[in-house]
Amino acid sequence: MRSRQVRNGSRNGLRGGRTSSRVTRAAALTACAALTLVACGSTKDTGAAAAGGGGTGKVGVILPLLTSPFWQSYNDYVPKMATSEGVDALKTVNSNSDPSQQITDINNQLNQGVKGLVVAPLDSAAIEAGLDQAERRGVPVVAVDVAPDKGKVAMVVRADNVAYGEKACQYLGKQIPSGKVVQIMGDLASVNGRDRSEAFRSCVKKNFPKLKVLEIPAKWESDTAASKLDTLLNANPDIKGIYMQAGGVYLAPTLQTLKSKGMLKTAGQAGHITIVSNDGIPQEFDAIRKGEIDATVSQPADAYAKYGMYYIKAAMEGKTFEPGPTDHDSTIVELPGGILEDQLPAPLVTKDNVDDPELWGNTVG
């Protein structure tokens, strides 16, 4: 079933760098906005206009942290995408990896009179308190990167995190016929950490039974990852593969730990440990080019910012969506509890396509 588009016509994705084709599509959007609904797609505009109806009013943007290059890039994209989408976004707020602080940040933004919120939740369960506060004020919320377990959001903007784990599993499994592989997990209080972990674990068990998975719960903390990886390698010096669930926080400590033990061998060298990551930051691309790691799943920081702004504006205008494919190479799915999630594309990046100018990681410094 095709997702129904909003009244102002089709929208195009921003999956990678800015190219002439995207300029062409942007021009097409402008023309499309002037056409009839039959030409530009139907609408399901059933909701009453939210606070700040008409898409006007300040929008608060709350970040989970700024210690990761991924979130630094997202933060840089936010004002650009707010401008391009016609959203009056306030300066971003950083919750510093503290779920309790994030709830305080939401309340502070509500007290400032924002008419919409774009939030990247730290804890899938804890965020419910902040979402409830926003609902009581009549302020719509779009969740970016992490879906809440409960609470009302207009849309979740997120890539398919189950696919992250499966892509990492398939890549490692095809490179390593047997032996031990490690997955450095994220915070299991986050649905992202749970989805990536379980998907990787299940895929290995089903498809590559000769691989043995060892796990490091690292909670998106670089120091924790380094310490636990060091301990694990002492007991298991025969590790053949590593899956890092967040290159933004795990890349540097993982490479440094391997280097300190004389275990950082480049691709093609004897003893090379095959490494797959998640994020798609420039540092991962450089590591792929050097042969230090082998692949990463490019999590779309640019599209997270773009569609976070797009959907909050739509929500403030009272517009709604339905499950189905979109016109920006993604699919809207319905999560438990009726929450809708736009699952944006996240390609696997290897030495074969690491220089693709369409990848957002090749468009930032």
Side-chain angles (χ1 to χ4, degrees):
M1 180 178 184
R2 180 171 178 79
S3 64
R4 298 187 179 180
Q5 304 304 317
V6 294
R7 232 180 247 283
N8 62 342
S10 302
R11 308 295 298 203
N12 284 299
L14 184 62
R15 198 168 31 167
R18 298 177 180 175
T19 64
S20 59
S21 64
R22 279 175 170 71
V23 174
T24 301
R25 287 199 296 269
L29 289 179
T30 303
C32 184
L35 300 178
T36 64
L37 289 176
V38 173
C40 291
S42 60
T43 183
K44 182 185 179 185
D45 207 359
T46 58
T56 61
K58 301 288 185 182
V59 170
V61 183
I62 298 176
L63 309 175
L65 52 99
L66 270 176
T67 54
S68 161
F70 176 84
W71 288 111
Q72 291 165 8
S73 295
Y74 170 81
N75 185 50
D76 290 341
Y77 278 119
V78 164
K80 301 173 188 176
M81 299 305 181
T83 298
S84 68
E85 295 298 317
V87 173
D88 188 4
L90 298 176
K91 184 178 179 180
T92 57
V93 177
N94 174 20
S95 298
N96 288 308
S97 301
D98 184 344
S100 297
Q101 180 61 46
Q102 192 162 69
I103 304 305
T104 299
D105 292 337
I106 290 173
N107 286 328
N108 288 342
Q109 295 282 287
L110 293 171
N111 289 336
Q112 291 181 41
V114 298
K115 303 303 181 184
L117 282 169
V118 178
V119 181
L122 279 159
D123 186 305
S124 297
I127 196 64
E128 182 184 4
L131 298 179
D132 289 347
Q133 289 284 352
E135 184 178 11
R136 282 192 283 271
R137 303 279 190 99
V139 174
V141 180
V142 168
V144 170
D145 182 57
V146 172
D149 290 341
K150 294 181 180 179
K152 183 178 180 180
V153 293
M155 182 68 72
V156 178
V157 176
R158 180 173 176 252
D160 184 351
N161 279 245
V162 170
Y164 287 5
E166 291 175 344
K167 288 178 181 179
C169 156
Q170 291 291 341
Y171 187 88
L172 285 178
K174 290 173 183 177
Q175 304 298 317
I176 307 168
S178 64
K180 300 174 183 176
V181 296
V182 180
Q183 70 161 330
I184 306 177
M185 300 186 292
D187 192 342
L188 299 182
S190 160
V191 66
N192 287 5
R194 297 195 298 268
D195 279 356
R196 297 176 200 186
S197 299
E198 179 56 32
F200 182 80
R201 189 184 302 128
S202 298
C203 173
V204 170
K205 182 178 180 180
K206 177 181 178 181
N207 299 292
F208 307 103
K210 293 184 179 180
L211 294 183
K212 179 180 180 181
V213 178
L214 306 177
E215 298 183 335
I216 296 176
K219 300 173 66 174
W220 314 126
E221 297 172 354
S222 57
D223 290 346
T224 300
S227 174
K228 291 188 175 182
L229 179 60
D230 184 83
T231 300
L232 185 145
L233 291 173
N234 287 338
N236 300 273
D238 54 343
I239 290 295
K240 294 185 178 179
I242 297 175
Y243 167 40
M244 303 182 297
Q245 290 188 7
V249 289
Y250 297 154
L251 177 67
T254 296
L255 295 182
Q256 183 57 43
T257 299
L258 293 174
K259 184 177 180 180
S260 69
K261 293 181 171 298
M263 299 175 69
L264 184 58
K265 309 294 184 181
T266 58
Q269 283 187 310
H272 172 67
I273 296 174
T274 304
I275 301 176
V276 182
S277 188
N278 279 165
D279 271 350
I281 57 175
Q283 293 89 335
E284 288 171 308
F285 290 0
D286 288 342
I288 290 173
R289 294 182 184 107
K290 294 175 183 176
E292 294 174 334
I293 73 172
D294 301 83
T296 186
V297 179
S298 179
Q299 184 171 213
D302 55 349
Y304 279 5
K306 177 181 177 68
Y307 289 103
M309 294 300 145
Y310 167 62
Y311 283 116
I312 196 59
K313 183 177 181 180
M316 291 164 66
E317 293 172 345
K319 296 169 182 173
T320 58
F321 298 82
E322 292 181 347
T326 72
D327 56 5
H328 49 270
D329 299 325
S330 67
T331 302
I332 296 176
V333 300
E334 185 171 342
L335 304 178
I339 294 174
L340 294 182
E341 175 176 293
D342 188 352
Q343 293 188 340
L344 300 170
L348 182 72
V349 181
T350 68
K351 64 181 180 180
D352 294 330
N353 63 338
V354 68
D355 293 321
D356 184 348
E358 291 288 304
L359 296 167
W360 73 265
N362 285 324
T363 69
V364 296

